[in-house]
């Protein structure tokens, strides 16, 4: 099996095909078959990923931001498969982003008429929620609504920190099952005690990619570290006064696990919404929360 196939490529194997494992400004770290190490640094061909500004008659109106985004080529991001022009002596050049078979996106909180893509080319989306004070069935419902448009992938709800179980939590779990209503499997997990890790491993298989999404503090980085067997991602303690986590993942990285599966850990999401809605719903302010006295 070639290097690019190990990283999830399922098409014909040829020269100049790579997968982005991390992005650093205008530079991208790719895995590919071109070098014995299987890794190169490439930059993007700017003219291919930006709109050309040309003069137009006064009678023509410019495209809205959402319309321009719909017709413009997608910008490369972690998880993308790309074509590139290999340079043996220096930086290679990305020339094309290949079609994505799945993507998860939300309304961009900084520009409400456009979409922000959070993860691409994954086989399974782990929608993660912790069994603490920030538990919210409404938020899970919104994530699953967004996942309905993600393409060729499946969604799995991962309820983390089940070691925090208290008497009376059956009602919260019943509400969660009703909210999911057959749209996704539900896994119960405690990285601290190991409960549920066997169920998670069924989705973490060679050549498959799993994307983690959820609010800060739900345990995305902890699960990644557990699956990787080492400290790949920083973790932070939950704030005692709010039960909510601080942001630890601030960028996306495609991590190869010892199992041969890959994980994309996304930054914690504060706000989620569908493109075209008047207002996004805050990920930290809906009803149907789990509160303790």
């Amino acid at each position: 099996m070639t290097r690019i196939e190990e990283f999830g490529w399922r098409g014909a194997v040829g020269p100049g095909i790579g997968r982005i494992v991390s992005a650093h400004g205008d530079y991208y770290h790719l895995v590919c078959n071109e070098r014995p190490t299987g890794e190169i640094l490439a930059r993007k061909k700017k003219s291919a990923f930006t709109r050309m500004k040309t003069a137009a008659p006064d009678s023509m109106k410019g495209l809205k931001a959402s319309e321009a985004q719909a017709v413009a080529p997608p910008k490369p991001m972690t998880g993308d498969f790309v074509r590139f022009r290999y340079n043996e002596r220096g930086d290679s050049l990305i020339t094309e982003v290949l079609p994505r078979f799945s993507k998860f996106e939300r309304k961009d909180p900084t520009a409400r008429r456009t979409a922000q893509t959070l993860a691409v080319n994954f086989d399974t989306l782990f929608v993660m929620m912790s069994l603490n004070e920030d538990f919210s069935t409404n938020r899970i419902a919104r994530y699953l609504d967004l996942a309905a448009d993600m393409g060729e992938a499946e969604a799995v709800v991962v309820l983390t920190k089940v070691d925090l179980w208290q008497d009376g939590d059956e009602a919260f779990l019943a509400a969660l099952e009703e909210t999911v209503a057959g749209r996704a499997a539900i896994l119960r997990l405690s990285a601290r005690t190991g409960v549920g890790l066997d169920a998670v491993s069924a989705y973490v298989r060679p050549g498959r990619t799993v994307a983690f999404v959820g609010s800060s503090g739900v345990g995305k980085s902890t699960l990644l570290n557990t699956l990787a067997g080492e400290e790949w991602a920083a973790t932070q303690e939950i704030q005692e006064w709010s039960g909510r986590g601080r942001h630890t993942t601030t960028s996306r990285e495609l991590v190869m696990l010892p199992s041969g599966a890959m994980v994309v850990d996304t930054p914690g999401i504060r706000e989620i919404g569908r493109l075209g809605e008047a207002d996004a719903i805050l990920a930290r302010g809906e009803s149907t929360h789990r509160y303790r006295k």
Side-chain angles (χ1 to χ4, degrees):
M1 181 179 292
T2 66
R3 179 72 165 169
I4 189 65
E5 289 175 306
E6 290 176 351
F7 274 79
W9 176 250
R10 297 162 193 168
V13 177
I17 297 176
R19 190 173 194 186
I20 298 174
V21 295
S22 62
H24 312 275
D26 189 44
Y27 286 85
Y28 299 84
H29 182 192
L30 306 184
V31 292
C32 61
N33 297 334
E34 266 60 27
R35 281 188 178 170
T37 59
E39 301 179 3
I40 63 171
L41 193 64
R43 60 184 178 88
K44 64 185 180 183
K45 185 179 179 180
K46 293 185 178 180
S47 61
F49 303 102
T50 58
R51 291 183 61 217
M52 295 181 63
K53 298 180 180 180
T54 57
D58 294 337
S59 60
M60 292 180 63
K61 294 182 179 180
L63 291 176
K64 295 179 180 179
S66 57
E67 295 171 337
Q69 184 187 52
V71 300
K75 293 183 179 180
M77 65 178 293
T78 298
D80 268 324
F81 292 100
V82 298
R83 292 193 185 278
F84 64 92
R85 188 179 305 154
Y86 180 54
N87 181 0
E88 185 177 0
R89 299 183 179 180
D91 298 332
S92 298
L93 188 67
I94 294 175
T95 58
E96 180 185 2
V97 175
L98 296 175
R100 297 164 173 169
F101 63 83
S102 65
K103 65 178 179 179
F104 182 78
E105 62 183 18
R106 64 168 175 173
K107 185 194 312 180
D108 190 337
T110 63
R112 294 187 174 183
R113 292 196 181 111
T114 62
Q116 180 186 28
T117 303
L118 299 175
V120 298
N121 295 329
F122 51 88
D123 300 286
T124 304
L125 181 75
F126 275 8
V127 180
M128 300 181 66
M129 177 73 63
S130 62
L131 192 65
N132 64 4
E133 288 85 346
D134 205 32
F135 179 94
S136 169
T137 55
N138 285 351
R139 192 180 314 136
I140 288 291
R142 182 52 57 98
Y143 280 125
L144 293 180
D145 287 344
L146 293 173
D149 302 324
M150 66 184 179
E152 301 175 13
E154 62 179 332
V156 176
V157 174
V158 180
L159 182 61
T160 65
K161 305 182 183 181
V162 295
D163 50 283
L164 299 179
W165 178 278
Q166 293 183 355
D167 292 339
D169 284 346
E170 294 85 352
F172 292 100
L173 296 181
L176 177 62
E177 292 174 355
E178 182 178 355
T179 297
V180 172
R183 291 188 286 173
I186 301 177
L187 305 183
R188 302 182 185 184
L189 174 68
S190 171
R192 177 177 298 177
T193 65
V195 170
L197 286 177
D198 288 342
V200 168
S201 65
Y203 298 92
V204 185
R205 304 194 304 273
R208 310 281 288 183
T209 301
V210 180
F212 294 174
V213 295
S215 302
S216 296
V218 299
K220 300 191 303 297
S221 296
T222 299
L223 178 57
L224 173 57
N225 290 337
T226 299
L227 295 174
E230 57 184 307
E231 290 294 322
W232 268 96
T235 60
Q236 291 200 22
E237 295 296 327
I238 296 294
Q239 299 171 12
E240 293 183 2
W241 61 271
S242 67
R244 296 164 181 169
R246 303 175 179 89
H247 289 272
T248 51
T249 300
T250 58
S251 62
R252 299 171 185 85
E253 183 175 2
L254 185 71
V255 177
M256 174 64 78
L257 301 177
S259 65
M262 291 145 283
V263 168
V264 178
D265 184 16
T266 64
I269 300 176
R270 296 180 185 272
E271 183 177 310
I272 50 178
R274 294 175 68 87
L275 189 62
E277 292 179 342
D279 295 293
I281 291 185
L282 293 178
R284 298 182 177 181
E286 317 96 328
S287 58
T288 325
H289 280 259
R290 174 189 187 272
Y291 290 106
R292 292 180 182 172
K293 293 182 180 180

